[in-house]
Amino acid sequence: MTSVLKKFRRDLRFRYGRQLRQLNYWLVARAAMIIISVLRLLPVDSALNFADRVARFIGPRVGRHQVAIDNLRKAYPEKSEDEIQAIASDMWGNMARLAAEYIFLDALFDYDPAASKPGRVEVKGIEHFVEIAAEKQPHIVFTGHLGNFELLPVAAATFGMNITALFRPPNNPYLADYILSTRRSTMGALLPSMAGASFALAGVLENGGNIGVLVDQKFSNGLDTTFFGRPCQSNRVLGTLARHYDCDVYPARCIRLPGNRFRLEIEDKLVLPRTADGSVDVHATTQMLNDVVERWVREDPGQWMWFHKRWEISNSRRKKQPQAKAPAANS
């Protein structure tokens, strides 16, 4: 009888816990939609600047702020507390702008190579966009959560580059549906990050297509690497795909500029490290990606999401972690 009652309580908690979670998702999504509706009434610049101000006020009052501060202190031990707090404030402003920019994504990307004066978006490395679009072979383009990284697939589509972008949808299914519909209206093909995604990416490359991947998030049970000199775990998928298809890998990023402007930049393709037999070294390549993103973050620290638990190590690997060598710090 006791075991039956325990099972009944567990089932009840599970059933109502799931319903409460769904209700919470719905309420959060409704609040977000109301905010979006209000922002749509404002001119673009006014809406983005308003979102920035609100986030700088609210951000330091949420739990993740302390995660960001702790990460910043460890990444920049030489910086003062005022400098650390200033970077964190910039980060919250950047994240709020990114969220608000979903509403105006169509209007924001106004790049026109024939325009007589610059618009909101400038592009550096146009020749690489054009080259990738023209070549009938697979390519990998990677980036990090910097500036408005969502504009990169829009730029790729503008230059005729057929690219499938891997993205991680929000846990909130209502917000995920909204964001996915917004992205699909302006970008190329999108692939949600879930079980089997690596096989889908391989299929795109197998058919001579191009893929876009974010590489700066924690990956449980990933390869032992470092970021800002601290041990972390990183996804091996890009290095594995590059080795299997021996395809070119390009770094790309978005840099937020003053006046609600952006610079989209695709850099020269990487010279990937190789093993003795000439194949791509997956571990060294994965570390190289971290080093590229670290360079970007050091150049614009307020445009990266420091509240992400990038350095959290899965329990099964904690004892092994001090294997990776720390890279030389970039200035």
Side-chain angles (χ1 to χ4, degrees), residues 37-111:
S37 299
V38 172
L39 290 176
R40 279 202 178 109
L41 300 176
L42 301 173
V44 175
D45 290 303
S46 298
L48 300 183
N49 294 338
F50 173 74
D52 183 291
R53 289 194 300 271
V54 171
R56 288 174 187 269
F57 175 77
I58 295 176
R61 292 161 173 79
V62 302
R64 284 282 177 152
H65 183 72
Q66 195 52 51
V67 175
I69 294 298
D70 182 61
N71 284 333
L72 281 163
R73 286 172 180 158
K74 291 175 179 175
Y76 295 105
E78 75 283 2
K79 291 190 181 296
S80 68
E81 191 62 20
D82 286 345
E83 290 174 308
I84 294 296
Q85 293 292 343
I87 294 173
S89 180
D90 288 344
M91 175 202 70
W92 289 119
N94 175 70
M95 296 308 299
R97 287 178 180 275
L98 174 63
E101 283 158 0
Y102 275 112
I103 307 168
F104 306 105
L105 214 50
D106 286 334
L108 287 174
F109 190 85
D110 62 354
Y111 177 76

Side-chain angles (χ1 to χ4, degrees), residues 14-59:
F14 176 77
R15 182 185 310 153
Y16 285 103
R18 185 170 57 181
Q19 291 176 354
L20 285 172
R21 188 163 57 248
Q22 287 299 113
L23 176 61
N24 181 61
Y25 284 150
W26 184 85
L27 290 172
V28 169
R30 292 311 303 165
M33 292 300 111
I34 292 171
I35 293 171
I36 288 170
S37 299
V38 172
L39 290 176
R40 279 202 178 109
L41 300 176
L42 301 173
V44 175
D45 290 303
S46 298
L48 300 183
N49 294 338
F50 173 74
D52 183 291
R53 289 194 300 271
V54 171
R56 288 174 187 269
F57 175 77
I58 295 176

